[in-house]
Amino acid sequence: MSPRETRSGRASEAFFGRRKGKPLRSGQTEALASGLGTLGLDLSGPAPDDLRRLFSAEVTRLRLEIGFGGGEHLLHEAATHPDTGFIGVEPFVNGMAKMTAALERQPLANIRLFNDDATLLLDWLPAASLDGIDLFYPDPWPKKRHWKRRFVNAANLDRFARVLKPGGRFRFASDIDTYVNWTLLHCRAHGAFEWQAGEADWHTPYEGWPGTRYEAKAVREGRPPAYLTFRRA
């Protein structure tokens, strides 16, 4: 059964909201179709045992960014670390269109893309295949009745633990205090993740952090971000 066919049975795992925003311009539509045709991952077959084969660049490390939004961080990291292969997940069509347009202007051979539910990709990836997972400013689903839709939960931490190599890093950033506390509590309860609290003040951005437009807005509105790092035990 293909990932698309299993989607109906995974409705409770819809961690994102709307799929589309403003109508795309013709150039964006063309870049999206072309970019996904070239860089999009096809989950209909098994994943390669060695994920480095997914990239035309020679890479030695592999990282996943879930929900890259406008792509500021992912593009910066991929350009800064050409020896690392990056898989970017973004189900929001407008964000993916912006990413594919940027890659059309400045191609990067160490990026692959997936435009659907990240849990499908996590279940497709081989065990112990990733060096890092980034989850930055995910939808906080602030209403209590929606907390079950927060991406950080026991089931997804199981997924992270399966695909991360021992010593691999899970990084989480948010400007929502309740979601930061939620993540700390869930990672502590899970047992496979050690919070690296001693590495840096958790309100200090990661080394080389380029910032994002969403983050700048949060700071302007008086919501200081937190930057958490967990190590796969």
Side-chain angles (χ1 to χ4, degrees):
M1 185 177 292
S2 73
R4 300 284 180 175
E5 292 171 328
T6 63
R7 182 70 179 274
S8 62
R10 300 163 65 104
S12 63
E13 296 189 90
F15 302 104
F16 49 86
R18 59 181 183 156
R19 293 295 300 269
K20 296 181 179 179
K22 296 179 181 179
L24 300 180
R25 299 186 298 273
S26 59
Q28 291 177 310
T29 301
E30 293 170 4
L32 180 64
S34 174
L36 288 178
T38 303
L39 302 174
L41 290 177
D42 180 6
L43 274 56
S44 61
D49 293 334
D50 185 348
L51 291 184
R52 292 177 298 179
R53 290 163 45 197
L54 295 174
F55 302 89
S56 56
E58 292 188 10
V59 299
T60 59
R61 292 170 53 82
L62 297 162
R63 286 169 52 187
L64 168 67
E65 183 168 339
I66 297 172
F68 57 71
E72 300 98 329
H73 177 264
L74 180 58
L75 288 167
H76 174 270
E77 289 292 280
T80 305
H81 304 284
D83 60 342
T84 298
F86 291 86
I87 299 174
V89 178
E90 181 52 69
F92 187 51
V93 171
N94 298 67
M96 185 61 76
K98 184 176 180 180
M99 170 63 76
T100 53
L103 290 172
E104 189 174 74
R105 294 190 298 270
Q106 182 182 353
L108 292 168
N110 60 332
I111 287 184
R112 297 297 302 269
L113 303 171
F114 184 64
N115 65 330
D116 208 326
D117 187 340
T119 62
L120 299 173
L121 177 67
L122 287 164
D123 291 344
W124 180 78
L125 293 171
S129 58
L130 299 179
D131 295 279
I133 296 175
D134 292 334
L135 179 64
F136 299 142
Y137 299 101
D139 195 320
W141 297 108
K143 296 180 180 179
K144 188 173 182 179
R145 68 176 182 271
H146 293 152
W147 284 358
K148 63 181 179 293
R149 299 186 71 177
R150 287 180 169 176
F151 200 87
V152 175
N153 60 32
N156 283 339
L157 289 177
D158 282 345
R159 289 180 165 108
F160 287 2
R162 187 186 72 83
V163 300
L164 278 173
K165 299 174 183 178
R169 302 298 177 96
F170 162 43
R171 302 195 302 175
F172 173 92
S174 177
D175 59 306
I176 306 300
D177 289 345
T178 56
Y179 203 176
V180 173
N181 293 335
W182 168 283
T183 299
L184 286 168
L185 290 171
H186 276 71
C187 286
R188 183 173 69 178
H190 188 275
F193 298 94
E194 300 171 346
W195 181 27
Q196 305 299 288
E199 288 191 352
D201 173 62
W202 63 334
H203 289 299
T204 300
Y206 303 114
E207 183 178 357
W209 178 254
T212 70
R213 288 185 300 166
Y214 178 86
E215 179 182 73
K217 178 183 177 183
V219 172
R220 288 197 304 270
E221 295 177 355
R223 298 189 306 275
Y227 308 88
L228 308 180
T229 300
F230 301 92
R231 177 182 178 274
R232 172 68 169 95

